């Protein structure tokens, strides 16, 4: 079954690319309240189009400037949520039977092992949408209801700021600049989701 899902995922990757090229649903922002109808339309040609649904959700996350997409399995549905401005927003509920294909598609995109279901995995991919390329980190975690996944989106074109634009105090900024100018050593950035860790790192590197 796992090998079949892997093969289906590889085939779906090509189908998804073709769908993006011919369908305006992948090239413009769709109101969240229309997501369920659009997903039903994509699935009208069969469950093989699950790959197109995943692509649709990832691209819509870019259009809606979401920082991450959560695929959470529950008994009654696979719940899909966007984090927009730090707030999780329900955007769709997929039938539980679609969960294996959704996870297979995400794993294929992130170059993860499709046949492994009992260990956490993490990989990376990119999404081309809204005229830019967005880096995506995909994390997969087993749960009692099946695997859940989180796709973290990072748009480097929007997130790089000068260090003095990050909100540090004058004293902290001076100390930080002194530390990053040293030829060796380690800096440890910690904090909850969306607290600015990656933004700080990109600003530091730039």
């Amino acid at each position: 079954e796992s090998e079949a899902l892997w093969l289906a995922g590889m085939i779906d990757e090509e189908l998804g690319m073709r769908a993006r090229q011919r369908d305006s649903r992948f090239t413009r922002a769709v109101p969240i309240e229309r997501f369920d109808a659009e997903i039903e339309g994509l699935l009208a040609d069969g469950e093989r189009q699950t790959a197109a649904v995943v692509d649709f959700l990832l691209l819509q996350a870019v259009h809606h400037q979401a920082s991450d997409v959560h695929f959470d399995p529950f008994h009654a549905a696979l719940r899909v949520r966007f984090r927009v401005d730090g707030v999780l927003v329900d955007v769709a509920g997929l039938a539980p039977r679609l969960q294996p294909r959704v996870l297979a598609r995400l794993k294929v995109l992130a170059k993860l092992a499709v046949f492994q279901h009992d260990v956490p995995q993490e990989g990376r991919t990119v999404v081309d949408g809204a005229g830019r390329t967005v880096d995506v980190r995909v994390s997969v975690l087993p749960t009692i209801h099946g695997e859940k996944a989180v796709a973290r989106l990072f748009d480097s074109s929007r997130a790089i700021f000068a260090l003095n634009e990050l909100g540090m105090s004058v004293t902290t900024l001076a100390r930080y600049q002194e530390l990053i100018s040293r030829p060796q050593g380690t800096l440890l950035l910690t904090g909850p989701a969306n607290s600015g860790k990656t933004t700080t790192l990109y600003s530091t590197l730039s």
Side-chain angles (χ1 to χ4, degrees), residues 7-8 34 37 45 50 55 78 87 90-91 94 122 130 150 156 200:
L7 180 59
R34 287 281 307 160
D45 294 332
T50 304
D55 295 345
L78 177 63
V87 178
D90 288 331
V91 299
L94 304 179
E122 186 169 290
V150 179
S156 58
T200 301

Side-chain angles (χ1 to χ4, degrees), residues 32 61 64-68 82-89:
I32 289 176
H64 287 272
Q65 299 184 1
S67 61
D68 46 68
F82 288 177
R83 187 182 297 278
V84 181
D85 294 330
V87 178
L88 279 174
V89 180

Side-chain angles (χ1 to χ4, degrees), residues 71-79 81 94-103 107 117-118 140-149:
F71 297 86
D72 295 322
F74 289 89
H75 178 71
L78 177 63
R79 189 177 179 188
R81 296 180 289 176
L94 304 179
R97 68 179 184 278
L98 298 178
Q99 179 189 352
R101 286 190 175 276
V102 169
L103 269 295
K107 289 179 179 180
H117 305 287
D118 56 350
V140 179
L141 185 71
T143 75
I144 60 173
H145 295 296
E147 290 179 295
K148 67 173 293 183

